[in-house]
Amino acid sequence: MSSTNKNDIMVSRILCLVSMALILGSFNMQQKKKIIFFGDSITEVGAKPGGYITMLQDTLVKAGKSAQFELIGAGIGGNKIYDLYFRMDSDVIAKKPDLVFIYVGINDVWHKKTYGTGSDPDKFEKFYNRIIDRIQAGGAKVVICTPTTVGEKKDFVNELDGDLNKYAEIIRTIARNKNVELIDLRKAMVSYLGTNNNANTYNGVLTLDGVHMNDKGNRFLANQFYPYIK
Amino acid sequence: MSSTNKNDIMVSRILCLVSMALILGSFNMQQKKKIIFFGDSITEVGAKPGGYITMLQDTLVKAGKSAQFELIGAGIGGNKIYDLYFRMDSDVIAKKPDLVFIYVGINDVWHKKTYGTGSDPDKFEKFYNRIIDRIQAGGAKVVICTPTTVGEKKDFVNELDGDLNKYAEIIRTIARNKNVELIDLRKAMVSYLGTNNNANTYNGVLTLDGVHMNDKGNRFLANQFYPYIK
Amino acid sequence: MSSTNKNDIMVSRILCLVSMALILGSFNMQQKKKIIFFGDSITEVGAKPGGYITMLQDTLVKAGKSAQFELIGAGIGGNKIYDLYFRMDSDVIAKKPDLVFIYVGINDVWHKKTYGTGSDPDKFEKFYNRIIDRIQAGGAKVVICTPTTVGEKKDFVNELDGDLNKYAEIIRTIARNKNVELIDLRKAMVSYLGTNNNANTYNGVLTLDGVHMNDKGNRFLANQFYPYIK
Amino acid sequence: MSSTNKNDIMVSRILCLVSMALILGSFNMQQKKKIIFFGDSITEVGAKPGGYITMLQDTLVKAGKSAQFELIGAGIGGNKIYDLYFRMDSDVIAKKPDLVFIYVGINDVWHKKTYGTGSDPDKFEKFYNRIIDRIQAGGAKVVICTPTTVGEKKDFVNELDGDLNKYAEIIRTIARNKNVELIDLRKAMVSYLGTNNNANTYNGVLTLDGVHMNDKGNRFLANQFYPYIK
C-alpha cells in the first residue's frame, strides 16, 4: 500500500469521523428542545439557585435527560400581561423556543391594590390570547398556568382570593378556547394548602411572604411543571 | 237611686275604664321593644316598602306580635364602619333602643376598589368594637351580622370574595371576643347561592346587582333576622 | 346637419361632461385627506351632533374646505392606551388615514381610582410609542394631545390633577422624542379655567361632569384642533 | 451664741433654701408648657435624634427657653385621621398638654393608592373637627398643619399633588371654621421647592424619599413650627 493510499485512508477516516461528529452534533442540536418559562418574579427567582427551574434542570440531569432539554428562565419581577406582551418578541420568539410556559396573573390582580394599575379582566384575556397566537405563530407549543397565591390562608379568606379565582377562571377559559394545555397551579396549590396549612398562616407553608416560593414551594412548582417537559 | 248618683257611677266607671286603658297603654308602651337596624344602603332600602325590615314588620303583624316590637331602620347608603361610628350617638343611642342589629362591611371592602377609601382591617375591628361598647353602655343588646355579597357567583370567583370573607372572619372574631350574638348572613347567603345559583350568574338570584336585594333577597334577610327579634 | 348628427354631438358632449365630472370627482377623492380622531369617550361623543368633530366638519364647510378633508371619529368610552393599541389596526390603520390625532390618557389615570386598573407610567409611554410607530409605518402623520381634565377647579386642587400633569408631561416627552406635533390640550384648558372659572366649580365651565365636554368645551376643543387640520 | 443656736440657724437656713428650691421648682413645673406633636411617621422620626422636634428642643436650649417648654412627640408611622382619633385620649388628652400641633393627612391621601384605604374627604373633615373639639375640651390650644409632600417635583406633576392640595384646602377650611391657628406647611414647602429644586428631582431636596425629611427638611419643619412655640 502506498503512503498516498494510507494518507487517503486516513483522510477519509478523519472526514468520516468529522462527518459523524457533525451529524451527531446536529442531531443533538435538533433534539435539544428549547423550553422557555415566561413570567414574573416567581419565575425570575425560579431560574436562580434553589429556584423551581433550577430544580427541574437537576431532575433532568438525574433522569439522564439533560441533553434533551434546554431550560431558559424569562421571568421579570412585577410583570403583568402587558409586560409579557411587550417583550414576547425579544425575550421569547427571537430565541426560537420549542415550548413556552406562560405563568402570569398575580401582579395583574395585586397591582390593583398596591398601585391602582392592575389589568382589566377583558384586556387580560385579549392580550393573553395575542401572546399565545404570536408564540404559536413562531412555531412553539404553549402551555399556560393559573396564578398561584397572594396569601396561603385556607377557605379563601386572603384579601385577593376572589380576584385570583376570577383570573384563574379566565385562564382556564383561554386554555379551552385555544385548545392549549393548562397547568392549574392555583387549584393544585389551594388544594395542597387546604390539607397542609394546619395553623392557617398567611405564609410559611409554600411561600416566604404569601407570594414568593420557599424551598418547598419551588419543589412544589417543579413537580407541577415536570410532566409537561417532554 | 237618683239620676245624679247613676251619672256619678257611670262617670266613675268610665274614668275607671279610661284609667285602665291608659295604664294598659303605658304598660304596652313600656313593653314595646325598640329595635334598630344600623347599616348601609341594604338597610336603608330595607325600611322601605318591600324591604326586609318592612317584611319583618308584616310578619310580626301576622304573628300578632306587632304590639311588642317597634322596628326602626337606620341605614344610609355608602356607609362604612366610620360612618356608623360617627352617627351612632344621634341615630341609635339617642333613641334608647332595646336591641340593635349592626349590618355593615360591604362598603368597607368595596370602596377600596371604587374610591380607594375602604377600611383597614385593624381599624374596622377597633371602631366596630367601640360601637358595640358604646351601644351596650347605652343599655341596648347588640347583635352583629357578617357582610353579604358583591357578586353572587359560586366558588368564590367574585372579585371581592376573598376580602369579604376576611371581613366576615373579623366580625365572627368580634362576636366571640365580645360574646355578642352573630347572624352569619354571608355564610347563609353563600350556602344558598351554592345550591340555587344554577346558572352561576353575577346577580339576579337574591340581588339586583350583586349587592342590593331583590324581593327574594329581602325575604331571605327577613328570615335570617326573624329568630333574633325577641 | 341631420338630427342624427346633432344627437351624436349632444351625446358626445354629455359623455365629455360626464367624463370630466368623473375625472374631477376622482381627483377630488384622491385629494380628500382622511383624518382620524383616535381616543376615548370625549372623542366618541365628539363625533355626534354637537361634538367637537362635528363642529370641525361644520367649520370646514363654512370655510369651503369640506371637499378637502374627511373627518372620522374613532373614540370609544373608557378607552386607555392599551385599548387604542389593541384596536389600532382595525380602527385606524386599515382605513388608510393621512392624519391621526391621538387624544388619550384620562382613563389611564382615572381608572387607578375607580377600578384599580389604570396604566403604569412606563407602560403608558411604551405602548404610546408603539402606536405612533405603527401608525406612521402605515403612512399617516400623527399628532398627539395631552389629556384634559377630571375636575375643572383652579390651582390643581382636583384629586387627579397631579397624575394628569404627570401623564401630560409623559406625552410632551413623547412628542419631543418622536418629533411629532403636540396639541397641549391640558395646558390650554387649565389656562382657560384659570381665567374663566370664577366660581371655582368642579364642573360646568367647559365640562358637564368635570370630564365630558359641554357645548363650550366642544367648541374649545374644535378651536384647538382646527389649526392642525391641513 | 451656743452651738445649738448655730445648728438651729443652719437648719433653718437649709430648710429655707429647700423651701425656696421647692417653691421655685413647683413654680417652674407649673410654668413649663407641655407641647405635643400629634402626627404620623414624619413626627415619629421627628422626635428622634436629628428630627425636627429634637431640633426645636435644641433651639429652645440655645435660646435659654428650655425650662419653659416640654416637647413631646406623639407620631406613629402610617397614621391617618382615624388613627389619631382612636388614640387621642390615651396619647394626647391624658397627658394634659397646653398646646397640641396636629400634622396629618399624607397617609389619608397616599393609602388610597397603596392600600385602597385612604380617607374620604368628608370623613377626614368630620373626624378632624372632632379631634380638635375633644382636645380643646381637654383644655389645650390646637394648631393644625397642612400635609407636606409625596414627591418634591415642581409644577404639581407628582402623582398625588392634586389630592394633597385638596386635603390641604380642607384643613385650611377647618382652620377658618374653627378659628384655630394654621401652619401651612404644604404651601411653604411647595414654595421652597419651586425656588430650590433646580434639577426638579422627585426627592433629595428636603426629603429622603419624597415624603420623609432629610436634615434640611427637618430643619425646614423646625423653622416652620418655632414661631408657634409660645
Side-chain angles (χ1 to χ4, degrees), chain C residues 91-166:
Chain C
D91 290 5
V92 177
I93 295 164
K95 296 181 177 172
K96 300 188 183 304
D98 299 283
L99 171 60
V100 178
F101 293 108
I102 306 176
Y103 172 16
V104 76
I106 289 178
N107 293 312
D108 298 84
V109 166
W110 203 7
H111 289 192
K112 291 187 190 181
K113 184 193 169 189
T114 51
Y115 300 102
T117 58
S119 305
D120 293 300
D122 63 328
K123 270 184 281 294
F124 181 79
E125 185 171 354
K126 280 179 177 176
F127 278 82
Y128 209 125
N129 278 322
R130 283 220 179 165
I131 292 171
I132 293 173
D133 290 346
R134 191 83 69 98
I135 294 176
Q136 286 179 333
K141 180 183 172 180
V142 172
V143 174
I144 66 178
C145 307
T146 52
T148 39
T149 62
V150 181
E152 300 191 64
K153 290 202 169 187
K154 294 187 282 193
D155 301 324
F156 300 121
V157 300
N158 305 288
E159 180 174 348
L160 304 181
D161 273 343
D163 215 21
L164 285 167
N165 287 341
K166 180 175 175 176

Side-chain angles (χ1 to χ4, degrees), chain A residues 43 55 92 149 184-185:
Chain A
T43 296
M55 287 178 175
V92 177
T149 62
D184 202 335
L185 295 179

Side-chain angles (χ1 to χ4, degrees), chain B residues 141-195:
Chain B
K141 180 183 172 180
V142 173
V143 174
I144 66 178
C145 307
T146 52
T148 38
T149 62
V150 182
E152 300 190 64
K153 289 201 169 188
K154 293 186 282 193
D155 301 324
F156 300 122
V157 300
N158 305 289
E159 180 174 348
L160 304 181
D161 274 343
D163 216 20
L164 285 168
N165 287 341
K166 180 175 175 176
Y167 282 64
E169 270 297 294
I170 293 172
I171 290 170
R172 289 179 198 119
T173 303
I174 291 171
R176 274 195 302 275
N177 292 345
K178 289 246 170 242
N179 198 26
V180 301
E181 281 186 290
L182 173 80
I183 310 181
D184 201 336
L185 296 178
R186 181 159 175 80
K187 192 179 168 188
M189 192 161 161
V190 165
S191 167
Y192 180 91
L193 294 169
T195 311

Side-chain angles (χ1 to χ4, degrees), chain C residues 112 155-159 161-163 165-166 169, chain D residues 112 155-159 161-163 165-166 169:
Chain C
K112 291 187 190 181
D155 301 324
F156 300 121
V157 300
N158 305 288
E159 180 174 348
D161 273 343
D163 215 21
N165 287 341
K166 180 175 175 176
E169 270 296 294
Chain D
K112 292 187 189 181
D155 301 324
F156 300 120
V157 300
N158 305 289
E159 180 174 349
D161 274 342
D163 216 21
N165 287 341
K166 181 175 176 177
E169 270 297 293

Side-chain angles (χ1 to χ4, degrees), chain A residues 156-159 162-163 165-166, chain B residues 156 158-159 162-163 165-166:
Chain A
F156 300 121
V157 300
N158 305 289
E159 179 174 349
D163 216 20
N165 287 341
K166 180 175 177 177
Chain B
F156 300 122
N158 305 289
E159 180 174 348
D163 216 20
N165 287 341
K166 180 175 175 176

Side-chain angles (χ1 to χ4, degrees), chain B residues 2 44 204 207:
Chain B
S2 67
E44 185 175 14
T207 74

Side-chain angles (χ1 to χ4, degrees), chain A residues 113-131:
Chain A
K113 183 193 171 191
T114 50
Y115 300 102
T117 58
S119 306
D120 292 300
D122 63 327
K123 271 185 281 296
F124 181 79
E125 184 171 354
K126 281 179 178 177
F127 278 83
Y128 208 125
N129 278 322
R130 283 219 179 167
I131 292 171

